[in-house]
Amino acid sequence: MESQSSVIIRQYDKQSLKVVDVISGISPNAMRRVFGGWIFFAAVVGVIISVAPDLSTQFIGLTLFVLVAFTLIMFGQSRISEGWPAIICDDDLIGVVRDPVKREYICVKSSLVKAANPTLIKPNKKAIEIVLDTEQLSEDEQKVLDQAVWPREGKLIGLAHFKKREDACESLMWCVEHRGSH
């Protein structure tokens, strides 16, 4: 482990994210469907503008260039193979994304987790509130928690994407009880 602290900021690489349990987030399968939908959309638009009468060659070329460039940028994000995990379980750590582009997570030891509750982040984002045992938190660990996207005293908040919050809470507590015991 990188630190003796029970609360750490940990950066993952593509390979290490493939072996963690994703509790909540956008799965690689969903990302593939979105990308496939975009490819279909771009192809249809490309065909329509290519055969449309009275469009200048410059307009057709510019539109096709933008479609191809945007497709390459989307593909360049390389998230098709890993998705956008929001809450993960990594052995005895529960992680909530802090910076998705850097694959950076605020991770807490599962022994700190007391409960996981469905919640909302104003105005209407569905989320999971991970309640921590504040008696075990040091001042320095709370300072790390304060660096979260939605900082709360003694809690971590993560978005619940494409999964019922109740099911995500159940999965998280299963990880705490079964994976954190080693």
Side-chain angles (χ1 to χ4, degrees), residues 45-176:
V45 170
V47 167
I48 288 172
I49 65 154
S50 296
V51 297
D54 300 327
L55 291 179
S56 72
T57 309
Q58 184 179 9
F59 177 79
I60 293 170
L62 182 63
T63 303
L64 292 175
F65 172 77
V66 168
L67 289 172
V68 168
F70 193 74
T71 301
L72 292 174
I73 289 169
M74 280 180 66
F75 190 74
Q77 285 288 319
S78 70
R79 291 300 185 144
I80 293 170
S81 64
E82 64 191 274
W84 291 90
I87 302 173
I88 60 172
C89 176
D90 182 11
D91 288 329
D92 72 335
L93 295 175
I94 301 296
V96 174
V97 71
R98 179 173 176 253
D99 186 336
V101 175
K102 292 181 181 176
R103 299 175 189 90
E104 195 173 78
Y105 291 77
I106 293 185
C107 297
V108 297
K109 289 195 176 174
S110 57
S111 59
L112 281 178
V113 178
K114 291 171 63 175
N117 303 316
T119 190
L120 286 174
I121 301 170
K122 291 181 182 174
N124 62 354
K125 291 182 181 180
K126 293 180 179 181
I128 298 167
E129 175 184 74
I130 303 168
V131 181
L132 305 175
D133 185 354
T134 54
E135 292 176 9
Q136 292 186 46
L137 287 174
S138 71
E139 195 174 310
D140 289 338
E141 290 169 335
Q142 183 57 52
K143 286 180 183 175
V144 174
L145 287 174
D146 290 340
Q147 296 178 47
V149 177
W150 294 283
R152 303 285 192 281
E153 185 75 28
K155 296 176 183 163
L156 264 176
I157 308 287
L159 292 178
H161 296 292
F162 306 111
K163 189 174 187 179
K164 283 181 62 179
R165 291 175 294 168
E166 294 77 10
D167 293 345
C169 290
E170 200 174 290
S171 296
L172 191 141
M173 292 312 294
W174 185 91
C175 278
V176 167

Side-chain angles (χ1 to χ4, degrees), residues 33-54:
R33 285 192 295 269
V34 167
F35 191 69
W38 169 258
I39 294 288
F40 178 74
F41 170 78
V44 168
V45 170
V47 167
I48 288 172
I49 65 154
S50 296
V51 297
D54 300 327

